[in-house]
Amino acid sequence: MSALVIVLIVCAIAAAGFVLGRARALASAGGDIRGLHSLPSYYGLNVALAALLPALLLLALWSIAQPLLVERSVAAMLPDGVDSALVMSDVRRVADGLALAVAQGALSPQEVAALDADATDLRATLGDVGVALGSAVTPEILDAARTHRAMSATGDLWRAIVVIAAALAGTAVGWSVTNSALRARNLVERVALALLAFAASVAILTTLGIVLSLIFNTLEFFRLYPASEFFLGTTWSPSFGGGSELGILPLLWGTLYISFIALLVAVPIGLFAAIYLSEYASPGVRGIVKPLLEMLAGIPTIVYGLFALLTVGPLLVELFGNGGPLGLGWMDGGTAVMTAGLVMGIMLIPFVSSLSDDIINAVPQALRDGSLGLGATRSETVRQVILPAALPGIVGAVLLAASRAIGETMIVVLGAGAAARLSMNPFDAMTTVTAKIVSQLTGDADFSSPEALVAFALGMTLFVITLVLNVFALWIVRTYREQYD
Amino acid sequence: MDDLRRTEALLSQQQTKISARNVQVWYGDTHAIKDVSVEIADKTTTAFIGPSGCGKSTFLRCINRMNDTIPAARIEGDIEIDGEDIYDRRVDPVRLRAKVGMVFQKPNPFPKSIYDNVAYGPRIHGLARGRAELDAIVEKALRRAALWNEVKDRLTAPGTGLSGGQQQRLCIARAVATEPEVLLMDEPCSALDPIATAQVEELIDELRQNYSVVIVTHSMQQAARVSQKTAFFHLGHLVEFGDTATIFTNPEDSRTESYISGRIG
Amino acid sequence: MSDAIAPTPPARAVSLHATDARTRRRNAAEKRFKAYGLTAIGIGLAFLAALLFAIVSNGSAAFTQTFVEVPITLDAEEIAAAESSIVKTSKYREIIHGALLEQLADAGIETDMDAAELGKILSSSEAAEMRDFALANPERMGETVRFDFLASSRVDGYLKGRVTRDALARDQNLDAAHLDLVDRLAEQGIVVKRFNWDFILGADASDQRPEQAGIGVAMLGSFFMMLVVLALALPIGVAASIYLEEFAPKNRITDFIEVNISNLAAVPSIVFGILGLAVFIQFAGLPQSAPLVGGLVLTLMTLPTIIISTRAALAAVPPSIRAAALGVGASKMQSVFHHVLPLAMPGILTGTIIGLAQALGETAPLLLIGMVGFIASNYPDGVVSGFTDPNSAMPAQIYEWAKRADPAFYERAWGGIIILLLFLMTMNFIAILLRRRFERRW
């Protein structure tokens, strides 16, 4: 019985429990709801929750534990000395394939029991039901898969029985304690509060998921490839045949170079735009210009990527490439640090300008009045009073923008090129950490090879860098805000 | 004491510093100042009193054109300082404000050192030709604001670290550092405790010897204590203007009397 | 106040009406500073204009497509013969090319090309199209049916001005003679350009046939992902916000959750892709490339946005409302669910729509969970398979087109962007309307 069916059955039991509980509460008060502690539906909900929560919790735990237990006992059957992770994934696929074949009627359970890996072409049979296998099935794997399937089937049956029994038991307990004096609302609200708190902790679970998935795979990578060479290597040349050099330095250099150019574009433009909008512009102009600039922030990054690849890149080549009007010959192809940096800068303009705008507006009007009242011009007021006062906040905003630039993916994937190199020329194609995460994980790579696992180490590096920047920037901005609150 | 003040006032009254004629101010559709004419004497403290929202602060801000910084404000009429129309096209508000200093309701020291706060005006107006001269200007201004002895050992400390009364005196020092001829004060003591208020009031009386001081206050006692001339504003009108003693003891207009005796406002 | 005594300052006898050099300099500096600000805004707006211009000028062509009208007499015998051959489509192709040659003769256009050479102006999808029609309509055997075949992408590009005669010099497929013929056919109304619904509703095609590619299936993929995001992110986000804003005790754990949420909002999207790959696909064994998984990843990405805006909406409800509900004997939970939440709903919905719009445009994490490539070439069979069958999403489909070698796909990519931006603009417009309509001042 599949998990979905079990959930539906449990829900049906809970619905029945709701009706029963509500009725029992009303009956215990002699049909007069004034005799009840809580509204009747709270008694119903109480019973329904007693049915749902233990059953669903049990289902979740069972569903996590069962595959682990099954695989452990199957792994014990396999001969020693084989790459167990690889073989296990084969076993799992064959087992799934067999289950699917039986479900679709391509094989009968008896046929499965009688299957012989040497005689039958299992690969073709399973291919017909939609399970593609990488290599032919050996007798050991077939045996293991059969055991796997049998154990899983038994486990699934027991899971259904136990979970449904738990739901029924919960209903019974909930129903039996129902009487007019039961504080049903308090019980229900306590559960509701727990659910709300659980929802709030999803954020923590997400972070935990990110950290764990990065750490485990990164450690796995460092088992296959020395960490010192990863962090200090100056060559990036993965080859899926083996013998890859996976040094992060060229990627970090590309990332930082592109981010630097992006900030060089975004910070002056964004900051001056924010100053003009908050200190000079009339409300009418502000009301038009601000949303227009913020439109730049609402445009998806894929659009910027395409803009870099197809518009800005060719334009820059025309200007700076061979035979351009400037006759410089600096640029060979459209994808370059300059292309990606420029377009990323455009993307960050509204980010810098709206953050700076908030921060400049948080500077108290009294300081402006004080400066103007002494006979300072507006620009003197901005430069000598407002900007120094807003400086911490603006630094925070720039750091947030930098973190955004470092983590940006689509613009660099499309606009920066694929060559990992350590070069000073901004018109060279270079690549970044994010672009390489994409390219290492979207090929047909085997996920246990260092060439694929390196993406997790890259992701870990990226996560740590941006996290440090964010925490620091948010801390600065918050301290700054508190200063004027 | 009162007699002495009156004599002093009469002595310096001869010279009119600021003269306003038929001034009207609108904020958008609101008519905030209605046809106000007043002559403010040099080396005198003039107090503007009246209930909140009566236009006294608005009128004060017309004198150094601070209302220019509010886009919705519109001003008509003439205001002359030393016989020169300050709303003339040739007048640069930046230079006007150097000549007409202003102290605000809430102490607003810049987030800079005490020294830099006071040196800010002289620096932007180019009043000092070197570090030594600037030092001298800062010291003089701080002495004049009666703050020198308290801060002379920590001139590099941030101005925001001072107490409220010290901050307000720092703002006064900042305003007098540019050698203004008129000093406008917009409820300068409303955010201060009684002791700090007494210090600032004493200071105002000292400053009057050199400047024409105009002070907006909602405290009638304060007006009586520090000013020689008092103007009573009500609903945008200048109701009555005259010697402080006369206004408080023998007002002509019934509205003034009601306000002074506490029946309105 | 002994130190306050100072001599009367000398009155500066400079008239206010005279200007001095220093003031002029300062005012010039003021003007320059203001000009910098205006320049910055000008540059920002110019970038926006350039971006929008590039999108519209490059993408609008994707919405029209060139078709070649060919009347073909369906001959039962010919079709039976084609069906019995090994490479069925090649027989159909012969029939079509023959019919095209006939049509040329009827129209009085002379050519020395043979049928196969002439057929190069058609898309290579033509045979499959005819076969599908013939097999689906056996009752129309013997009739003459007018087929509208897609022209090849080169011909399409030539008529749209994308492909020049010079560029064709190096092309193996078409040459100038074909283009002369196309010009004559266009005059005769046999080659026509029409609005192309198949681009909006159709499926992706192989990289040999850009003229056939459409974004419709990827649009469905995006739609199913958005359903997942809406179904998960809205309830979880609202529940989390209610807890943090109304119930959470002020302690370390709550602080930690709050810091966590604001940091999650700034984690690069690609990291969420890694999370999805490692947790949902590798660990939990969910199917790769499925909108369900894409939706889960985007849910986690969108949650911080929704939580932040929902908390703002809850905080904007004045405490007096809560006090009023508590005062008549409602429990804290009842006061929140009966009074605070309904009042905060417009703000919550606005934040949710903006979060959805962000999720709709997100590409990078989808690449990692495999929502790329040709997989958007079949419509899902039903609702369940809509969630679980491999599919792409609009931005991922655009990325796929941008990567392909044939520049004819670039036009598709820009066109896809127009559609994507129309969706985003509609969503933002709804959000603005909601905000205007229900804006409440306490």
Side-chain angles (χ1 to χ4, degrees):
Chain A
M1 212 181 287
S2 82
L4 186 67
V5 177
I6 300 181
V7 169
L8 288 177
I9 292 177
V10 170
C11 286
I13 294 174
F18 177 86
V19 177
L20 290 174
R22 195 176 180 280
R24 184 174 161 101
L26 270 176
S28 74
D32 179 4
I33 74 166
R34 283 173 299 179
L36 291 172
H37 169 270
S38 315
L39 289 172
S41 58
Y42 281 109
Y43 292 92
L45 272 177
N46 185 36
V47 177
L49 286 172
L52 270 179
L53 286 181
L56 292 185
L57 204 64
L58 200 62
L59 178 64
L61 288 178
W62 193 296
S63 304
I64 293 170
Q66 178 181 319
L68 295 178
L69 292 175
V70 168
E71 279 184 18
R72 178 174 294 176
S73 52
V74 170
M77 289 171 58
L78 291 170
D80 292 335
V82 292
D83 186 347
S84 59
L86 266 177
V87 175
M88 269 321 293
S89 80
D90 270 359
V91 170
R92 220 176 298 141
R93 291 188 78 106
V94 175
D96 288 349
L98 290 175
L100 203 61
V102 173
Q104 292 185 357
L107 291 171
S108 68
Q110 292 77 18
E111 278 173 319
V112 171
L115 272 178
D116 181 351
D118 297 326
T120 33
D121 189 0
L122 193 58
R123 204 171 153 191
T125 319
L126 293 185
D128 283 345
V129 295
V131 178
L133 293 179
S135 54
V137 181
T138 61
E140 292 85 22
I141 291 183
L142 181 62
D143 274 347
R146 262 199 292 251
T147 319
H148 192 292
R149 191 182 90 78
M151 288 180 72
S152 299
T154 323
D156 283 356
L157 183 66
W158 277 106
R159 179 178 71 176
I161 293 172
V162 171
V163 168
I164 291 172
L168 290 172
T171 313
V173 171
W175 183 78
S176 64
V177 299
T178 299
N179 64 56
S180 61
L182 181 75
R183 300 181 167 206
R185 200 197 68 225
N186 304 32
L187 289 172
V188 171
E189 286 188 351
R190 211 168 297 154
V191 173
L193 188 61
L195 287 178
L196 294 181
F198 173 74
S201 62
V202 166
I204 291 184
L205 290 180
T206 307
T207 311
L208 198 70
I210 289 175
V211 170
L212 289 183
S213 57
L214 287 174
I215 285 183
F216 280 127
N217 287 298
T218 303
L219 289 179
E220 181 70 18
F221 170 68
F222 286 147
R223 261 188 342 106
L224 301 170
Y225 191 89
S228 58
E229 280 178 42
F230 171 71
F231 286 116
L232 302 173
T234 54
T235 316
W236 174 271
S237 64
S239 70
F240 282 104
S244 309
E245 285 187 80
L246 303 169
I248 195 177
L249 288 182
L251 307 185
L252 269 185
W253 170 245
T255 304
L256 295 180
Y257 203 168
I258 290 172
S259 306
F260 175 71
I261 290 180
L263 291 180
L264 223 52
V265 174
V267 172
I269 296 180
L271 193 56
F272 269 107
I275 290 173
Y276 188 86
L277 286 179
S278 58
E279 300 296 320
Y280 289 99
S282 65
V285 170
R286 191 180 153 87
I288 294 169
V289 171
K290 209 169 141 69
L292 276 180
L293 278 184
E294 276 165 8
M295 260 179 79
L296 283 173
I299 292 175
T301 54
I302 177 75
V303 181
Y304 285 105
L306 208 64
F307 187 59
L309 178 71
L310 299 179
T311 308
V312 176
L315 206 70
L316 287 177
V317 170
E318 218 163 86
L319 270 178
F320 298 104
N322 281 318
L326 307 172
L328 297 169
W330 285 346
M331 209 169 165
D332 299 325
T335 54
V337 168
M338 200 61 179
T339 313
L342 193 64
V343 174
M344 202 189 281
I346 298 175
M347 180 191 82
L348 291 177
I349 289 173
F351 194 72
V352 174
S353 77
S354 60
L355 272 175
S356 309
D357 193 41
D358 287 352
I359 286 157
I360 289 173
N361 277 329
V363 174
Q365 184 62 30
L367 288 185
R368 282 184 192 84
D369 283 349
S371 174
L372 295 173
L374 285 170
T377 62
R378 278 200 180 271
S379 63
E380 286 161 351
T381 306
V382 169
R383 279 196 308 245
Q384 301 186 27
V385 176
I386 294 177
L387 286 187
L391 192 65
I394 289 172
V395 169
V398 171
L399 287 182
L400 280 181
S403 140
R404 184 64 75 89
I406 289 170
E408 171 49 40
T409 309
M410 294 322 291
I411 294 177
V412 293
V413 166
L414 287 170
R421 60 166 71 112
L422 284 160
S423 153
M424 289 301 292
N425 183 357
F427 296 99
D428 271 347
M430 283 184 216
T431 193
T432 67
V433 175
T434 49
K436 283 300 146 190
I437 294 177
V438 170
S439 69
Q440 296 311 105
L441 286 181
T442 50
D444 293 323
D446 163 11
F447 279 128
S448 51
S449 71
E451 289 75 19
L453 284 173
V454 69
F456 292 97
L458 293 176
M460 186 84 200
T461 316
L462 180 70
F463 181 70
V464 170
I465 293 176
T466 52
L467 187 73
V468 169
L469 276 177
N470 291 337
V471 170
F472 188 49
L474 287 174
W475 176 75
I476 292 183
V477 171
R478 191 174 310 153
T479 335
Y480 167 77
R481 291 240 169 85
E482 279 163 6
Q483 181 190 332
Y484 291 119
D485 269 350
Chain B
M1 183 70 183
D2 254 15
D3 289 332
L4 188 63
R5 278 210 181 147
R6 206 169 304 145
T7 340
E8 270 176 20
L10 285 172
L11 274 175
S12 49
Q13 207 171 358
Q14 281 84 356
Q15 214 177 354
T16 299
K17 188 71 184 173
I18 306 165
S19 113
R21 276 189 300 276
N22 309 102
V23 176
Q24 320 263 358
V25 179
W26 284 268
Y27 286 128
D29 296 331
T30 322
H31 198 172
I33 295 285
K34 295 164 190 160
D35 208 24
V36 168
S37 301
V38 69
E39 305 240 313
I40 292 168
D42 203 3
K43 301 203 180 7
T44 313
T45 301
T46 307
F48 290 176
I49 59 168
S52 2
C54 65
K56 52 192 193 299
S57 286
T58 301
F59 184 69
L60 189 78
R61 291 167 69 95
C62 289
I63 300 173
N64 71 344
R65 293 183 60 175
M66 277 300 278
N67 281 330
D68 290 18
T69 63
I70 299 165
R74 196 155 51 83
I75 296 137
E76 280 175 19
D78 289 320
I79 299 178
E80 288 179 358
I81 292 182
D82 293 336
E84 286 179 326
D85 179 8
I86 62 165
Y87 280 91
D88 189 282
R89 219 169 31 81
R90 287 167 297 178
V91 173
D92 194 321
V94 163
R95 282 185 56 214
L96 171 70
R97 289 174 199 150
K99 190 167 170 165
V100 183
M102 186 156 189
V103 176
F104 296 85
Q105 188 169 357
K106 241 177 84 181
N108 55 351
F110 301 135
K112 297 166 176 281
S113 71
I114 294 171
Y115 183 94
D116 286 340
N117 259 288
V118 181
Y120 181 77
R123 273 188 182 135
I124 56 174
H125 295 294
L127 300 184
R129 272 183 300 274
R131 181 77 193 189
E133 245 182 84
L134 192 59
D135 286 349
I137 290 176
V138 170
E139 181 178 343
K140 191 166 130 193
L142 284 170
R143 277 188 194 282
R144 229 185 261 169
L147 196 59
W148 176 252
N149 286 336
E150 289 162 64
V151 301
K152 65 183 175 201
D153 301 324
R154 46 171 175 154
L155 289 175
T156 52
T160 43
L162 298 172
S163 73
Q166 287 174 321
Q167 284 191 10
Q168 193 62 304
R169 279 182 283 146
L170 177 63
C171 293
I172 293 173
R174 194 173 66 185
V176 299
T178 53
E179 300 285 346
E181 295 164 31
V182 178
L183 199 55
L184 309 178
M185 300 183 136
D186 190 355
E187 303 191 20
C189 302
S190 63
L192 304 182
D193 60 52
I195 295 174
T197 302
Q199 285 173 326
V200 171
E201 282 179 4
E202 200 172 336
L203 181 57
I204 291 171
D205 213 44
E206 307 260 2
L207 292 171
R208 172 173 64 86
Q209 297 169 6
N210 301 322
Y211 312 98
S212 169
V213 177
V214 185
I215 178 170
V216 164
T217 175
H218 56 214
S219 150
M220 284 172 285
Q221 291 80 358
Q222 185 171 56
R225 282 194 300 266
V226 301
S227 71
Q228 290 79 52
K229 290 278 200 177
T230 295
F232 172 64
F233 284 77
H234 188 239
L235 298 176
H237 294 283
L238 175 62
V239 175
E240 196 167 345
F241 178 58
D243 286 344
T244 301
T246 321
I247 295 265
F248 279 95
T249 52
N250 191 15
E252 283 171 19
D253 195 288
S254 59
R255 283 171 294 177
T256 316
E257 197 189 349
S258 307
Y259 181 68
I260 287 174
S261 55
R263 280 199 292 275
I264 59 169
Chain C
M1 294 291 152
S2 56
D3 56 353
I5 311 300
T8 311
R12 278 178 296 158
V14 186
S15 161
L16 278 172
H17 290 181
T19 54
D20 62 352
R22 185 178 173 84
T23 314
R24 273 198 300 275
R25 258 201 330 274
R26 287 173 64 196
N27 283 337
E30 171 76 13
K31 277 214 186 72
R32 274 200 307 280
F33 192 77
K34 203 169 163 180
Y36 296 151
L38 271 176
T39 313
I41 288 178
I43 293 175
L45 294 183
F47 278 141
L48 178 67
L51 189 60
L52 294 180
F53 176 76
I55 293 168
V56 172
S57 65
N58 290 312
S60 52
F63 292 91
T64 58
Q65 197 66 38
T66 308
F67 291 88
V68 184
E69 296 178 352
V70 186
I72 298 177
T73 309
L74 294 177
D75 185 303
E77 272 175 44
E78 269 180 0
I79 286 166
E83 282 299 314
S84 62
S85 73
I86 301 169
V87 189
K88 297 172 178 115
T89 47
S90 77
K91 293 285 178 196
Y92 282 104
R93 197 158 283 149
E94 278 168 24
I95 302 174
I96 295 167
H97 294 172
L100 181 60
L101 200 60
E102 264 176 49
Q103 169 153 16
L104 240 62
D106 290 347
I109 300 169
E110 286 179 27
T111 175
D112 50 3
M113 274 183 224
D114 63 21
E117 188 65 25
L118 180 64
K120 285 181 178 174
I121 67 169
L122 294 178
S123 159
S124 52
S125 65
E126 90 270 50
E129 194 180 327
M130 180 183 166
R131 178 167 180 245
D132 290 346
F133 182 85
L135 296 184
N137 300 286
E139 77 284 356
R140 296 185 68 175
M141 284 302 154
E143 286 178 39
T144 300
V145 179
R146 208 194 71 181
F147 282 94
D148 284 352
F149 292 120
L150 282 166
S152 86
S153 70
R154 299 289 195 287
V155 170
D156 182 52
Y158 171 66
L159 289 179
K160 286 173 181 168
R162 185 183 67 230
V163 176
T164 59
R165 279 168 184 262
D166 300 340
L168 277 189
R170 276 165 287 138
D171 196 287
Q172 306 121 326
N173 287 322
L174 288 187
D175 53 35
H178 285 109
L179 295 186
D180 292 336
L181 211 57
V182 168
D183 283 337
R184 308 262 311 267
L185 287 169
E187 279 167 31
Q188 299 269 352
I190 296 171
V191 169
V192 287
K193 229 163 61 168
R194 266 192 274 124
F195 190 79
N196 185 18
W197 279 108
D198 285 341
F199 172 63
I200 300 172
L201 302 174
D204 190 17
S206 86
D207 56 0
Q208 299 303 312
R209 282 177 296 195
E211 65 276 4
Q212 215 191 347
I215 201 167
V217 175
M219 213 187 280
L220 274 180
S222 281
F223 172 73
F224 281 110
M225 282 200 311
M226 289 306 115
L227 282 186
V228 175
V229 176
L230 189 65
L232 291 177
L234 183 60
I236 297 180
V238 170
S241 314
I242 289 179
Y243 180 74
L244 291 175
E245 197 63 37
E246 307 283 342
F247 293 101
K250 284 269 160 272
N251 59 20
R252 283 248 185 86
I253 299 176
T254 312
D255 276 356
F256 182 64
I257 295 180
E258 290 187 4
V259 170
N260 223 305
I261 288 170
S262 50
N263 277 316
L264 269 185
V267 166
S269 58
I270 185 102
V271 172
F272 283 95
I274 296 181
L275 169 79
L277 178 66
V279 172
F280 295 133
I281 293 178
Q282 288 184 342
F283 181 72
L286 292 173
Q288 215 171 0
S289 313
L292 174 68
V293 180
L296 285 174
V297 171
L298 294 182
T299 299
L300 296 182
M301 264 190 63
T302 320
L303 260 180
T305 314
I306 294 187
I307 292 180
I308 290 169
S309 61
T310 302
R311 291 191 61 181
L314 289 174
V317 177
S320 58
I321 302 275
R322 296 174 182 81
L326 295 176
V328 296
S331 70
K332 174 103 182 155
M333 192 69 77
Q334 286 170 325
S335 82
V336 169
F337 278 92
H338 295 170
H339 300 280
V340 179
L341 194 57
L343 288 174
M345 220 49 204
I348 295 173
L349 289 183
T350 309
T352 307
I353 292 173
I354 288 171
L356 278 184
Q358 258 175 28
L360 186 62
E362 194 54 65
T363 321
L366 302 184
L367 302 184
L368 295 195
I369 56 169
M371 297 189 75
V372 269
F374 287 73
I375 41 184
S377 46
N378 289 305
Y379 289 98
D381 304 326
V383 176
V384 175
S385 71
F387 286 113
T388 55
D389 277 6
N391 201 337
S392 188
M394 277 194 280
Q397 181 71 67
I398 293 167
Y399 168 69
E400 172 69 20
W401 283 336
K403 271 196 328 180
R404 288 188 186 168
D406 191 335
F409 277 109
Y410 297 164
E411 174 192 286
R412 305 266 144 179
W414 287 113
I417 281 177
I418 292 183
I419 296 181
L420 180 63
L421 287 184
L422 282 179
F423 274 107
L424 294 181
M425 276 163 62
T426 315
M427 292 168 86
N428 280 301
F429 185 67
I430 293 172
I432 292 171
L433 273 190
L434 263 179
R435 193 177 297 165
R436 291 257 167 88
R437 174 80 181 72
F438 293 104
E439 200 167 47
R440 201 185 287 262
R441 302 207 182 281
W442 302 101

